[in-house]
Amino acid sequence: MGYDLGALAVFFFAALFFDVVVIAVIRQGNQGDHPIIFAGAVAVAIGLTLAFVLAAFFPGSDKYVAACVLVAMGGMFGCVAVNGVRDLFVCRVRVEAEYRGCEELPTGQVMSLRYPICAYEFQGRAYCEKSLQSIGARRARRMAKAGTCYAYLDPQHPATFIVRRSASLMTFILAAIAIFCFGAALYVLAVV
């Protein structure tokens, strides 16, 4: 039969992981917290599951498997980029905030993502939350020196805020990767 069990195992475990994540989010009822990110996870789960089924049960469907994986990855990167742009529109109420430091998440040996933690008041209630956006080391030093900054919050969910009203370089990179993945999927289907 000539199945590549290594590739099938990769598709199986990747699809299983995303399927379990999506089901767990649905069972906990958290899909409404970040609906665009959830849509990206659903796209990956469906795409990888379909890729596994095609690879396992339909020999010779390599171009469709490749297209499914590319569309799934493009959907994931695209949803993350769209979510970043969405935050710019919904987080529109500006309040003065006290900068309380950053939560750093290492992404490897090259850089860390820094998420500012700010304390502010909105409609008589005090908040001390972590920003949806990460910032660079230079901006973190400037904010620490100033001690204050502006937080742009979502009036429907005041605990949700960003610290700058512009798209980050990462948003553009993710959008470019998504466009590349969708274009590559079309190329695979049309030419290969």
Side-chain angles (χ1 to χ4, degrees):
M1 252 200 193
Y3 290 117
D4 182 2
L5 294 179
L8 283 177
V10 169
F11 283 132
F12 175 76
F13 287 114
L16 180 65
F17 172 77
F18 279 98
D19 292 344
V20 167
V21 166
V22 166
I23 290 168
V25 169
I26 291 171
R27 290 193 67 190
Q28 291 178 355
N30 294 338
Q31 66 270 23
D33 293 347
H34 300 285
I36 298 173
I37 299 295
F38 179 71
V42 169
V44 172
I46 291 170
L48 292 180
T49 302
L50 186 57
F52 169 72
V53 168
L54 289 172
F57 301 110
F58 298 96
S61 62
D62 294 348
K63 76 178 191 176
Y64 299 111
V65 171
C68 285
V69 171
L70 286 166
V71 168
M73 294 299 106
M76 178 181 69
F77 289 119
C79 284
V80 173
V82 167
N83 191 64
V85 172
R86 175 197 165 272
D87 291 341
L88 298 176
F89 290 102
V90 298
C91 296
R92 61 187 182 276
V93 176
R94 185 172 94 162
V95 296
E96 192 163 323
E98 178 186 344
Y99 175 73
R100 297 270 179 99
C102 284
E103 182 179 308
E104 292 194 22
L105 299 173
T107 60
Q109 297 181 0
V110 177
M111 64 179 272
S112 291
L113 295 175
R114 293 168 185 83
Y115 292 91
I117 298 171
C118 296
Y120 55 90
E121 286 189 20
F122 181 70
Q123 296 181 341
R125 183 168 174 204
Y127 296 90
C128 185
E129 303 292 335
K130 179 177 74 169
S131 174
L132 294 174
Q133 291 174 325
S134 63
I135 59 172
R138 186 181 322 151
R139 180 155 186 165
R141 284 191 299 272
R142 281 196 316 250
M143 289 171 71
K145 186 177 180 181
T148 62
C149 63
Y150 287 112
Y152 300 90
L153 53 97
D154 178 355
Q156 303 297 320
H157 306 281
T160 303
F161 75 96
I162 57 178
V163 291
R164 71 176 180 276
R165 295 272 304 158
S166 62
S168 67
L169 175 62
M170 188 57 71
T171 300
F172 291 110
I173 291 171
L174 292 173
I177 292 171
I179 291 168
F180 172 79
C181 288
F182 293 137
L186 287 174
Y187 175 80
V188 165
L189 289 174
V191 176
V192 176

